Amino acid sequence: MTERLRSIPLDAIQADPKLQNRNVGMQKYKEHSDAKRYKDHINQLTRSIRAQGQQVPMKVVAAEEGCTYELAPDADRPHHVPTRFWLVDGHHRLEALKRAGAAEALVEVLPGLGFADALDASRLANQQIIQALTPLERVENAWSAFNQERDTYRKMPIKEAAALLGVSENTIKRFRDAVRQEGINAGKIDRDVSRDKAEQQLQAYWQRKATWRRLSIISWGMFKKQRQDGGKRTSAAALRHVVKMAVVQVLFGVEGRYDHKAVVAALEELGREAGRPDGAAYLEAKYKPKIHQPETTDDDESVGEDVDHHQMGLEIARMHAEGPSRAPGDF
C-alpha cells in the first residue's frame, strides 16, 4: 500500500454531520434521515463487503486530537503521527463495515490536518461516486461550503468554485448576488461603487462572523424563501420571532462580549418590565439610546451632552402649539 492508502482501525475514524455532504440542507433542520433514504444502499454495501471485502477506500484527513509526536532518525524536530482521523467521504461504507463486523477500514489519507482541512476536503468529496449527489444536494453542499469560517470558496473565482463543487457558474453567481443584496439592504455594501470595491465590500460583509455563521445554519432553499417572502405580509407570531432573533443575535453575536448568565438575567428582567401595563412606553423611556451632540456654551467651549432628540422634538411641537410667548420685537 502507498503512504496515502492504508488500513486503520474502525474506532480510529470519527465522523461529524458537517462533513456529510449529502442532504446538508435537510440536516440543518433534522428533517431527514440518511438511514431511511439509503437503507437499501447500505444493505447492498454490507452484503458486498461480506462477500468481497471493501473495494473502494474511504477518504480521511488526520485529526489533531489523540496524536503523537515522534522524532525520526536524523530529524531536527518531532513529526505529527495521527492516531485519529476525520471521515470526509464514505459515511455509508463506514456504516456497512460496522454492520459487516469489520475491525479495520481501507482509507486514503488526504493532505491536511484538523477539522478545518477536513471540512474543505469534504466539499470536494462525493463528486464522482457510486451513488452521486442529486443536483439539489450539490447546490446545498456548495451553499454550505460558501458559509464556513474559512473563506476558501468565497474568494475563489466563480468558474473554479463551480467546477470543484459540481454546480453551475450561475448557481455561484446567485449565491453572491443574494448575499450582496442582503449587505446592501443592511447598509454594509454600497450599491454604486466600482467592481473591485464592490468585491472588497462583499468579501468583508461575508467574512463577518454574524454573516457566515447565520447563513451556515439555514439551507439555500430557506434563504431564497426568506428573500422571496420579504415583501409579503408577516404574521404577528413571525414578527415576534424576528424581534427575538434580532435581540439574541445582538447579545450573543459577538463571542465573549457579554456573560451568558448576565444576558439571560437581563432578558428576564426586561420581560417583567415589558409586562407592565405601560410596558412599551416604559421600555422606550428607560432604554431608548440618546444621541451624543456637542453643546456650545456662552464662552464658546464645546461641552459634550447627551441630547434626547425624540424628547426635544416633542417639546418644540408643544411650544409651536402654544403660540408665541413674547411680544413681537422682544429679544
Side-chain angles (χ1 to χ4, degrees):
M1 291 187 185
T2 64
E3 184 179 350
R4 288 179 59 177
L5 200 62
R6 67 178 75 168
S7 290
I8 61 175
L10 276 189
D11 57 10
I13 301 173
Q14 52 194 25
D16 187 282
K18 293 180 180 178
L19 302 177
Q20 168 61 293
N21 297 328
R22 200 177 303 279
N23 295 293
V24 66
M26 299 295 188
Q27 289 170 4
K28 290 169 182 174
Y29 297 96
K30 299 181 180 178
E31 295 173 352
H32 182 81
S33 168
D34 278 342
K36 180 179 179 181
R37 181 175 176 184
Y38 295 102
K39 182 178 179 180
D40 291 341
H41 176 57
I42 293 175
N43 288 339
Q44 278 186 329
L45 284 174
T46 304
R47 288 192 294 268
S48 174
I49 289 171
R50 284 173 177 162
Q52 305 174 29
Q54 182 186 352
Q55 300 297 308
V56 181
M58 298 185 292
K59 294 180 181 179
V60 298
V61 168
E64 295 177 280
E65 303 84 358
C67 64
T68 61
Y69 286 89
E70 297 179 5
L71 187 64
D74 301 323
D76 59 350
R77 65 182 64 183
H79 67 280
H80 179 274
V81 180
T83 56
R84 303 285 297 173
F85 299 86
W86 287 111
L87 178 64
V88 299
D89 179 29
H91 290 76
H92 299 133
R93 274 164 279 168
L94 178 62
E95 178 65 23
L97 284 166
K98 290 178 179 178
R99 293 189 181 190
E104 293 191 339
L106 180 65
V107 300
E108 179 185 357
V109 182
L110 303 179
L113 176 64
F115 188 78
D117 285 340
L119 199 57
D120 271 346
S122 74
R123 303 307 172 196
L124 307 182
N126 282 325
Q127 298 300 326
Q128 293 180 345
I129 57 175
I130 296 173
Q131 192 172 26
L133 297 173
T134 66
L136 178 59
E137 288 171 341
R138 287 179 185 274
V139 170
E140 289 295 354
N141 173 48
W143 173 248
S144 183
F146 268 74
N147 291 295
Q148 54 180 299
E149 182 173 7
R150 185 178 287 185
D151 59 4
T152 305
Y153 296 96
R154 293 195 289 272
K155 290 188 174 180
M156 193 176 289
I158 293 174
K159 187 173 183 179
E160 184 180 348
L164 283 173
L165 296 169
V167 296
S168 69
E169 293 179 30
N170 283 335
T171 294
I172 304 299
K173 290 177 182 178
R174 283 195 290 269
F175 291 169
R176 294 166 58 85
D177 290 345
V179 176
R180 181 173 183 270
Q181 186 59 52
E182 186 186 71
I184 291 173
N185 295 341
K188 301 295 184 182
I189 296 178
D190 189 350
R191 186 189 300 274
D192 302 313
V193 293
S194 65
R195 179 179 297 181
D196 290 343
K197 188 69 174 179
E199 179 64 20
Q200 292 174 7
Q201 291 182 352
L202 172 62
Q203 293 293 339
Y205 176 71
W206 216 334
Q207 188 59 23
R208 296 168 70 240
K209 183 181 288 188
T211 301
W212 64 259
R213 177 174 284 182
R214 172 173 49 81
L215 298 180
S216 71
I217 62 174
I218 64 173
S219 67
W220 168 244
M222 289 296 295
F223 184 59
K224 282 198 304 181
K225 188 175 186 304
Q226 287 179 2
R227 296 182 67 229
Q228 292 166 356
D229 293 345
K232 296 181 181 179
R233 190 171 182 178
T234 308
S235 67
L239 285 173
R240 290 196 299 272
H241 181 72
V242 169
V243 172
K244 289 188 289 185
M245 284 288 291
V247 172
V248 172
Q249 287 290 337
V250 170
L251 296 177
F252 291 97
V254 180
E255 196 167 331
R257 182 176 180 180
Y258 301 114
D259 177 74
H260 287 184
K261 291 183 178 179
V263 169
V264 173
L267 289 174
E268 290 175 346
E269 187 174 329
L270 272 177
R272 290 192 293 270
E273 293 172 343
R276 294 165 49 117
D278 59 341
Y282 177 82
L283 291 176
E284 184 178 17
K286 184 174 182 181
Y287 297 111
K288 184 174 180 178
K290 294 182 178 181
I291 304 173
H292 181 77
Q293 291 286 345
E295 180 189 33
T296 303
T297 60
D298 292 338
D299 55 3
D300 290 330
E301 289 184 358
S302 181
V303 179
E305 183 185 58
D306 286 329
V307 180
D308 189 338
H309 290 272
H310 174 70
Q311 186 61 38
M312 180 182 290
L314 294 177
E315 190 65 23
I316 291 174
R318 183 186 62 78
M319 292 170 61
H320 280 297
E322 290 178 353
S325 58
R326 40 185 183 269
D330 286 351
F331 294 95

